């Protein structure tokens, strides 16, 4: 059942954030610098248009102080008191080298990560906003950033250079980098059909599960790319879920359902989906599931073994070769079909035809009810209940 929260904005809403706790507020930011704070019933408790009227690209509540809300607009981060929305309590001007796209706070609220159009990620000490680290490795716009829970010195960034990076803040180079384009090209070698086209996997939104070891990244190829971090912060496993028929713009882990591996996604296809990733090969502990990224490799190895057997058979009995070749092709098609079936089985637990291109998806508990708050190109928010899951 969908509910509309209206009259809080006059322009398209670009971002939404939720404060924790049973009485937690919500905040939304839109084009033209409008910030609105809502209570859990959807009643407006504060509204403000920031000076300069630049688009608000990210709104984040402090996990440590209920009276602090961080909003990015242009190259500036404004610190607001959501309970008294009269003006900025503090401003970090020039927090971004260029226009800021995303903000992230660590669990203690002592560090703010800022991702901007230059591709840089700056880390600001709080309070005060002093820049303590500048991380430069993205070669295009850095679109999203997230701290790892339980690892206050680790953060993840993603950008339009199609790269996902894990950083340790002690150093200014990433611990590892995953190039989504290279991953997609490897998969296409095994799966591409004649005439099939893929959008480039520009990385739009990255999220980290509450365990701190599983990442999800929504990309322009319609997929949500999954990564598991192992011991020593190494990239242990990666895979992907075909989530949307057009670009996937949003991916957020939901921490308040039956386990920590529920993921909410939104896309340019106007769809919102909820996924149970607990049995996904990337997420499941070793032994419970075979890694999906190895499936193509297993087929390749089996093909080589079959070719070797055929060459031996050919020396003994030339007439047997063609049937074996046909059998090998048939087996390959069956294996591929089984792989396709596996993807279909792991579809979303809930798919909502929202109708409009999704700008933001924010999981929230509203009056005890698990919910998704969705912003699109309109000036209203839509709230979907997840009760019953």
């Amino acid at each position: 059942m969908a509910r509309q929260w209206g009259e809080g904005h006059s322009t398209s809403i670009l971002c939404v954030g939720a404060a924790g706790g049973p009485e937690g507020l919500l905040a939304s930011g839109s084009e033209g610098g409008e910030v609105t704070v809502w209570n859990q019933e959807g009643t407006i408790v504060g509204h403000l248009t920031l000076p300069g009227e630049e688009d608000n690209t990210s709104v984040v509540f402090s996990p440590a102080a209920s009276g602090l809300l961080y909003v990015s607009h242009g190259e500036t981060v404004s610190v607001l008191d959501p309970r008294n929305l009269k003006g900025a309590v503090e401003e970090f001007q020039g927090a971004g080298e260029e226009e800021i796209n995303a903000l992230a706070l660590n669990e203690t609220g002592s560090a703010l990560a800022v991702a901007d159009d230059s591709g840089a990620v700056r880390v600001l000490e709080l309070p005060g906003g002093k820049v303590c680290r500048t991380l430069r490795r993205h070669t295009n716009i850095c679109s999203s950033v997230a701290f790892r829970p339980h690892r206050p010195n680790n953060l993840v960034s993603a950008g339009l250079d199609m790269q996902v990076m894990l950083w340790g803040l002690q150093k200014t180079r990433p611990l590892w980098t995953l190039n989504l384009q290279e991953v997609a090209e490897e998969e296409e070698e095994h799966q591409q059909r004649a005439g099939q086209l893929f959008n480039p996997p520009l990385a739009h939104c990255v999220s980290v599960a509450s365990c701190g070891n599983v990442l999800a990244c929504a990309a322009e190829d319609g997929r949500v790319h999954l990564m598991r971090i192992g011991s020593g912060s190494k990239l242990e496993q990666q895979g992907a879920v075909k989530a949307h028929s057009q670009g996937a713009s949003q991916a957020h882990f939901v921490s308040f359902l039956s386990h920590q591996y529920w993921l909410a996604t939104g896309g340019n296809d106007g769809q919102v989906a909820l996924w149970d990733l607990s049995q996904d090969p990337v997420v499941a502990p070793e032994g419970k599931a075979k890694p999906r990224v190895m499936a193509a490799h297993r087929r390749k190895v089996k093909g080589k073994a079959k070719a070797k057997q055929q060459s031996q058979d050919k020396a003994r009995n030339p007439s047997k070769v063609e049937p074996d070749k046909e059998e090998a092709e048939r087996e390959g098609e069956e294996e591929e079909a089984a792989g396709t079936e596996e993807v279909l089985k792991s579809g979303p637990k809930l798919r909502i035809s929202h109708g409009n291109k999704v700008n933001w998806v924010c999981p929230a508990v509203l009056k005890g009810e698990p919910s998704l708050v969705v912003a699109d190109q309109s000036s209203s928010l839509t709230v979907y209940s997840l009760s019953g899951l």
Side-chain angles (χ1 to χ4, degrees), residues 5 7 14-15 21 37 46 50 62 74 81 136 143 176 190 232-233 238 268 291 306 316 354 357 370-371 373 381:
W5 290 5
E7 300 180 4
L14 302 178
C15 51
V37 175
L50 292 169
S62 170
D81 181 348
R136 304 180 197 278
S143 49
W176 53 256
H190 298 286
S233 294
Q238 63 86 18
N268 296 343
K306 179 70 76 174
R316 290 194 297 269
H354 178 71
K357 180 180 174 182
S371 306
V373 182
L381 293 172

Side-chain angles (χ1 to χ4, degrees), residues 158-173:
L160 302 193
D161 56 358
M162 298 175 276
Q163 299 193 96
V164 178
M165 302 181 187
L166 176 68
W167 303 83
L169 295 185
Q170 296 86 347
K171 300 179 181 179
T172 55
R173 64 178 186 271

